[in-house]
Amino acid sequence: MIHGCFSRGTTPNQFFTLPFEKELISDLKVTYTQNKQKILQKTLKDVKIEGNDISFTLTQEETFQFSEKGIVSV
């Protein structure tokens, strides 16, 4: 699990590096939780994969779903 924070109403870029080749992926879920509740989930159709890197940008609307207080876990 990855822990991080960002400001509500921003559009943060998200980057992840896979420890294996992208051809091995048939399904993907990047889940954001806060206070033990699922807030947001990205799937394979929502992300860009180049080499071993996964990236996407959260929208303002998506980041407004998080509480002002508390850690966001990925």
Side-chain angles (χ1 to χ4, degrees):
M1 191 169 301
I2 301 168
H3 298 282
C5 63
F6 46 81
S7 298
R8 295 175 75 235
T10 62
T11 57
N13 296 318
Q14 305 290 283
F15 299 96
F16 304 93
T17 300
L18 301 171
F20 49 82
E21 297 298 319
K22 68 180 179 181
E23 289 76 25
L24 297 173
I25 298 175
S26 61
D27 190 29
L28 173 76
K29 291 181 181 153
V30 180
T31 304
Y32 291 78
T33 62
Q34 189 176 42
N35 302 320
K36 299 182 181 180
Q37 294 184 352
K38 181 171 84 172
I39 306 295
L40 177 66
Q41 189 168 67
K42 295 290 186 177
T43 62
L44 198 54
K45 66 178 176 67
D46 301 316
V47 304
K48 181 178 180 181
I49 302 177
E50 291 182 355
N52 288 25
D53 296 323
I54 295 174
S55 64
F56 55 91
T57 301
L58 297 178
T59 66
Q60 283 185 321
E61 293 79 15
E62 289 170 331
T63 61
F64 272 127
Q65 294 179 50
F66 297 98
S67 170
E68 292 177 6
K69 297 179 182 177
I71 300 280
V72 175
S73 298
V74 180

